[in-house]
Amino acid sequence: MAKLLKGAAVTAALNEQLKTRVQNLENKRITPCLAILRIGERGDDIAYEKGAVKRCDSLGILVKKFLLEADAGQDKLMETIELINRDPAIHGCLMFRPLPKHYDEEMARNALAPSKDIDGITNASLAGVFGGTDSGFPPCTAAAAMEILSHYDIALKGKNAVVIGRSLVIGKPVAMMLIKENATVTICHTKTVDMPAVCQRADVIIAAAGRAKMIDKAYLNENQVVIDVGINVGEGGKLCGDVDFEIAEPIVSAITPVPGGVGTVTTSVLAKHLVEAAERTVR
Amino acid sequence: MAKLLKGAAVTAALNEQLKTRVQNLENKRITPCLAILRIGERGDDIAYEKGAVKRCDSLGILVKKFLLEADAGQDKLMETIELINRDPAIHGCLMFRPLPKHYDEEMARNALAPSKDIDGITNASLAGVFGGTDSGFPPCTAAAAMEILSHYDIALKGKNAVVIGRSLVIGKPVAMMLIKENATVTICHTKTVDMPAVCQRADVIIAAAGRAKMIDKAYLNENQVVIDVGINVGEGGKLCGDVDFEIAEPIVSAITPVPGGVGTVTTSVLAKHLVEAAERTVR
């Protein structure tokens, strides 16, 4: 039976630490403040926003919402980003993406001040995570996967880590963060031949393929730690990960559940980045 | 006996193609122009500069040199970069690095206009190569390794590629470019455990470790293509790669020599990026 790498314990530890850091900022008369920039009314965005607001409230972080109509237009969007950049009371911004199709997303994401880019969407943040520097911030979900590994003291130095997925939001950044921790990293994707064989050699698997239950016993053995970043809607509308949990849990050494794993840590990482951004303004 | 992946053939093919492209630009009254920005008189820089100037001359590319004393200072450097950015007759800039220690290199490299960043040093270029977009340009040496693979029709889709080295100039960018070509990529480094075993599973090895002749028969088999990016000074002052060529050549399927391999292609790739930058100004 695998050790369950629950997100709740990670979140609890992070929140404890963040409360102290928010208090220290308050002592310097700084109230950390998150800007949420949302265009339109997509259900996924609103659900994530609710979680982020709740998390911030519980930690003493202010939230300022900037909500635009789906057809507000690029100019209005750029103005809003400028407003956020210029406001010294705002320390970071969560901009929901993808933007509706008629927006120039690249222009929008790079307009955000890198110092406020707490979800790793600007070129400065991407270059930072690629180069292993602290320019900007890494994407929150990738950072959440790393936070879980760190919280549960999973050794990475010299270990073989296999990342399944090559997106710029999870796969590639998490690969770079694993390399920074001295893991030997293999990046797999839809064109990989014999992925089960590749995964059999892994000490740590990061599943970010976005395919419900694709990881089954062919990929797994008793020495592995499995971090499941997938959030898919499976049979009967039930949430499930990229890993077939029922099959994997009796085999592997440790595994994150879905739901209750990486997803629950993401908003805490968002809050951590926000607090860090606020701290950087007084360093 | 391995097929020799000589740089000369790649360079010859590139130059043919570039001459036509330069002529097409001339027909639009555009003469491609490279700015070389060098601080001080480091021997390596001057040697590379000579090669680049010779290559540009032979292709009809103008070169404008900006040479600063080693103690010119940051302000003077930033002014010079601004001059280069503002000059519409200059299409790209090669800025030698590392800068002398008393310069702020990050400030300098990000001051360069991404559109003129033909050697992949700005955050925009790094984000571009990380994300697989054409924002800026990849570093020339990494691109040269890919150019050789492409010239010799080495299949990459679904193949296992192992990159040895995790620098931001070669290892990481070449890994991203291999992923874009649908290879499954493993990144090894000094902390990798049992690197020979990892390399034994590779169809393609990119050696960019910077350690003379570290790759010996333990790493190699008859099915592999080996791209040796290393340029080291070996015994008796002779140039050698990261691969022990005498040992490797009888074993593997194909290999680049050192010298005469990747290094000879780099200035042609620099010229290619410069021509591409000039073409982008009229698109």
Side-chain angles (χ1 to χ4, degrees):
Chain A
M1 248 192 37
K3 176 172 180 179
L4 263 192
L5 307 175
K6 289 190 185 171
V10 185
T11 296
L14 269 176
N15 291 353
E16 270 319 295
Q17 179 211 110
L18 288 176
K19 275 178 192 163
T20 310
R21 290 166 69 179
V22 169
Q23 189 53 56
N24 288 341
L25 284 164
E26 288 289 354
N27 294 346
K28 295 174 184 164
R29 294 168 185 265
I30 293 167
T31 304
C33 175
L34 169 71
I36 290 181
L37 173 50
R38 170 162 57 80
I39 304 184
E41 307 275 335
R42 206 168 42 191
D44 283 0
D45 293 352
I46 292 171
Y48 187 83
E49 182 179 306
K50 261 193 192 155
V53 170
K54 202 173 145 191
R55 175 73 57 214
C56 288
D57 281 350
S58 74
L59 292 170
I61 296 171
L62 289 178
V63 176
K64 218 166 159 175
K65 290 190 191 181
F66 296 81
L67 307 180
L68 302 184
E69 307 278 332
D71 59 359
Q74 187 80 20
D75 288 351
K76 181 71 189 161
L77 171 60
M78 299 306 284
E79 263 172 47
T80 309
I81 295 170
E82 252 320 285
L83 218 62
I84 291 168
N85 285 344
R86 276 201 308 258
D87 188 342
I90 292 175
H91 301 100
C93 174
L94 171 66
M95 186 195 304
F96 282 105
R97 295 181 311 151
L99 303 179
K101 281 209 175 96
H102 52 291
Y103 288 87
D104 182 338
E105 183 164 313
E106 201 191 334
M107 183 197 278
R109 64 179 180 79
N110 279 309
L112 184 63
S115 59
K116 300 190 179 186
D117 177 24
I118 56 171
D119 197 21
I121 67 172
T122 62
N123 283 345
S125 284
L126 293 175
V129 74
F130 190 37
T133 70
D134 64 353
S135 160
F137 293 88
C140 289
T141 306
M146 296 303 295
E147 199 73 48
I148 290 176
L149 290 168
S150 161
H151 177 86
Y152 287 105
D153 284 323
I154 313 285
L156 293 172
K157 181 175 169 182
K159 300 293 180 184
N160 292 317
V162 171
V163 176
I164 305 171
R166 52 178 159 175
S167 81
L168 210 44
V169 182
I170 305 167
K172 285 176 175 176
V174 93
M176 293 302 121
M177 295 166 93
L178 289 163
I179 287 172
K180 195 176 182 187
E181 297 299 324
N182 292 314
T184 300
V185 177
T186 301
I187 303 171
C188 293
H189 43 74
T190 47
K191 300 298 186 299
T192 292
V193 174
D194 200 357
M195 204 186 293
V198 177
C199 288
Q200 279 295 348
R201 296 189 289 263
D203 301 302
V204 175
I205 294 176
I206 312 278
R211 269 186 60 201
K213 299 188 184 184
M214 70 166 277
I215 314 286
D216 60 23
K217 71 176 178 205
Y219 296 68
L220 302 170
N221 67 54
E222 69 277 15
N223 301 312
Q224 294 168 328
V225 173
V226 179
I227 307 291
D228 190 351
V229 187
I231 299 180
N232 312 287
V233 180
E235 289 162 29
K238 260 185 75 177
L239 280 191
C240 70
D242 291 352
V243 180
D244 192 325
F245 187 85
E246 304 303 324
I247 285 174
E249 194 270 342
I251 298 174
V252 301
S253 149
I255 186 169
T256 58
V258 177
V262 177
T264 56
V265 180
T266 306
T267 54
S268 289
V269 167
L270 183 79
K272 182 186 174 185
H273 287 179
L274 192 276
V275 169
E276 166 81 17
E279 288 167 347
R280 286 183 189 175
T281 64
V282 285
R283 251 177 229 159
Chain B
M1 251 196 29
K3 177 173 182 180
L4 264 193
L5 306 176
K6 290 190 187 173
V10 185
T11 296
L14 268 176
N15 291 352
E16 270 320 294
Q17 179 212 110
L18 288 176
K19 277 179 192 163
T20 311
R21 290 166 70 179
V22 169
Q23 190 54 57
N24 288 341
L25 284 164
E26 288 290 352
N27 295 345
K28 293 174 186 165
R29 294 170 186 264
I30 293 168
T31 303
C33 175
L34 169 71
I36 290 181
L37 174 49
R38 170 163 57 80
I39 303 185
E41 305 276 335
R42 205 168 43 192
D44 283 1
D45 294 353
I46 292 172
Y48 187 83
E49 183 179 305
K50 261 192 193 157
V53 170
K54 202 174 144 191
R55 175 75 57 216
C56 287
D57 280 350
S58 74
L59 293 169
I61 296 171
L62 289 178
V63 176
K64 218 166 161 175
K65 290 190 192 181
F66 296 81
L67 307 180
L68 302 184
E69 307 277 332
D71 59 358
Q74 187 82 20
D75 287 353
K76 181 68 188 165
L77 171 60
M78 300 305 285
E79 264 172 45
T80 309
I81 296 170
E82 252 320 285
L83 218 62
I84 292 168
N85 285 344
R86 276 201 308 259
D87 188 341
I90 293 175
H91 301 100
C93 174
L94 171 65
M95 186 195 303
F96 282 105
R97 296 182 309 153
L99 304 179
K101 283 208 174 97
H102 51 291
Y103 288 87
D104 183 338
E105 183 163 316
E106 200 191 335
M107 184 198 276
R109 63 177 181 80
N110 279 309
L112 184 64
S115 59
K116 299 190 180 186
D117 177 25
I118 57 171
D119 197 21
I121 67 173
T122 62
N123 282 346
S125 283
L126 293 175
V129 73
F130 191 38
T133 71
D134 64 354
S135 161
F137 293 89
C140 288
T141 307
M146 297 303 294
E147 199 73 49
I148 291 176
L149 290 168
S150 160
H151 177 85
Y152 289 104
D153 284 325
I154 314 285
L156 293 171
K157 180 175 169 182
K159 299 293 179 183
N160 292 317
V162 171
V163 176
I164 305 171
R166 52 178 158 175
S167 81
L168 210 45
V169 182
I170 305 168
K172 285 174 174 177
V174 92
M176 292 303 121
M177 295 166 94
L178 288 163
I179 288 172
K180 194 175 182 187
E181 296 299 325
N182 291 314
T184 300
V185 177
T186 300
I187 302 171
C188 293
H189 44 74
T190 48
K191 300 297 187 297
T192 292
V193 174
D194 200 356
M195 204 186 292
V198 177
C199 287
Q200 279 295 350
R201 295 189 289 263
D203 302 303
V204 176
I205 294 177
I206 312 278
R211 268 186 59 201
K213 299 188 183 183
M214 70 167 276
I215 314 287
D216 60 22
K217 71 177 178 204
Y219 296 69
L220 303 170
N221 67 53
E222 70 277 15
N223 300 313
Q224 294 166 329
V225 174
V226 178
I227 307 291
D228 189 351
V229 187
I231 298 180
N232 312 288
V233 179
E235 289 161 30
K238 261 184 74 177
L239 281 189
C240 71
D242 291 351
V243 181
D244 191 326
F245 187 84
E246 304 303 324
I247 286 174
E249 194 271 341
I251 299 174
V252 301
S253 149
I255 185 169
T256 58
V258 177
V262 177
T264 56
V265 181
T266 307
T267 54
S268 289
V269 167
L270 183 79
K272 182 184 174 187
H273 287 178
L274 192 275
V275 169
E276 168 80 18
E279 288 168 349
R280 286 182 189 175
T281 64
V282 284
R283 250 176 228 157

